[in-house]
Amino acid sequence: MRILAELLDDAAVFPPGNASIEEAVAGHVRHLRSVHACLVGPLVLAAKDLGELEVVLGDRPGHSVNLTLTVPLPGLVPATAVARAIRSVRLVGLEVALPDGTSAAEALAALDAADLDSDLTTYVEVPRDARRADVLAALAGTRYRAKLRTGGVRADLYPDETELAAAIRSAVALDVPFKATAGLHHAVRNTDPATGFEQHGFLNVLVATARARNGADEAEVVELLAERDGGRLVEQVRVLDPSVRDAFCSFGTCSVDEPITELVDLGLLDPRYMKDLA
């Protein structure tokens, strides 16, 4: 489905996947050579891993990767230069974390001062604190996008439906494209049986974003994020305008295989997409 194209950013090294750099590169190359390559976005790595990435790629001649780099705002310029210098790497994106206390105005000034190349898709992680509204408003009308945190390794890192709905509706109202990071381990809203964490579904986010773009109020967006019936979500995904992806760009997943398997099981992808899964 065109609406799922490049939806899955390959974040295999991040929890709970915790793949080594070598494993992540090998897995990413496998995905890019597979029948499901059209669903896969860039490899996502932290700036601290660039040295190891260079070593691993040096042992794999002929392989190249599109890379999105997660980096704290103060280290943005040097990390970008290091990534650009690695052979077999095409730096396509940045995901920038703001230090505690950094205001929206300070963040935007630092990004502008970094004079980033126009070919870099740059996301700014929106803090889950009082700065959220200001940061989203500051991103409006710029070339920078938003990164919304949707989970993590602790229960408190998961925003509830009301918080996430407010962030999505704000981003949509301001015409700020966004990606999601962490916690979207399944297609449909669920309770993780191992941890008890309430986890958002990536199809829920997709449908909720589409409805927000059509003017849905907060209560409706909250209800869609809470929906646990996969069949109902699938019905809505099938009729979505693909332009919703202009708003919800992608999400980081520590496993590309698992979301594809779930999408096949839900009937949104042909079983052939599972041909090259590990």
Side-chain angles (χ1 to χ4, degrees), residues 1-248:
M1 294 182 69
R2 186 160 64 96
I3 202 167
L4 302 175
E6 297 184 10
L7 180 64
L8 311 175
D9 289 347
D10 189 353
V13 301
F14 293 91
N18 299 315
S20 68
I21 303 300
E22 185 171 6
E23 291 169 336
V25 170
H28 191 67
V29 170
R30 172 174 60 84
H31 294 311
L32 296 182
R33 293 176 170 177
S34 74
V35 294
H36 59 261
C38 59
L39 307 176
V40 182
L43 181 67
V44 184
L45 294 179
K48 66 179 180 60
D49 293 325
L50 285 172
E52 188 173 353
L53 176 65
E54 184 171 21
V55 172
V56 168
L57 288 175
D59 292 335
R60 301 178 66 88
H63 297 303
S64 63
V65 296
N66 287 343
L67 178 68
T68 288
L69 197 63
T70 67
V71 57
L73 183 61
L76 184 59
V77 173
T80 300
V82 171
R84 292 279 199 198
I86 300 176
R87 291 187 309 162
S88 301
V89 164
R90 178 172 178 257
L91 184 65
V92 298
L94 298 168
E95 298 179 10
V96 183
L98 305 186
D100 291 344
T102 300
S103 70
E106 291 168 338
L108 267 291
L111 285 167
D112 289 340
D115 195 24
L116 301 171
D117 291 344
S118 59
D119 64 338
L120 287 179
T121 301
T122 303
Y123 292 90
V124 178
E125 182 163 347
V126 179
R128 291 179 58 213
D129 57 28
R131 295 174 291 169
R132 184 183 72 191
D134 287 343
V135 170
L136 283 171
L139 296 177
T142 73
R143 67 185 183 91
Y144 309 121
R145 303 179 179 189
K147 175 179 172 181
L148 303 182
R149 184 160 292 277
T150 46
V153 296
R154 304 190 313 271
D156 63 288
L157 295 176
Y158 287 81
D160 63 17
E161 300 97 320
T162 300
E163 180 183 341
L164 183 55
I168 290 172
R169 292 182 73 240
S170 293
V172 166
L174 292 164
D175 198 22
V176 177
F178 69 91
K179 72 167 290 183
T181 182
L184 296 180
H185 300 303
H186 298 284
V188 180
R189 174 66 183 238
N190 66 95
T191 303
D192 186 273
T195 64
F197 296 169
E198 294 297 315
Q199 296 182 337
H200 297 288
F202 60 84
L203 293 184
N204 296 76
V205 175
L206 187 63
V207 172
T209 302
R211 290 291 186 86
R213 295 179 84 220
N214 290 331
D217 62 18
E218 180 178 337
E220 184 177 355
V221 177
V222 167
E223 183 178 356
L224 288 166
L225 291 174
E227 178 62 69
R228 293 172 182 261
D229 188 321
R232 291 179 182 174
L233 286 173
V234 166
E235 290 176 0
Q236 296 181 69
V237 171
R238 290 189 187 280
V239 298
L240 288 183
D241 187 324
S243 67
V244 66
R245 294 291 310 285
D246 295 337
F248 177 29

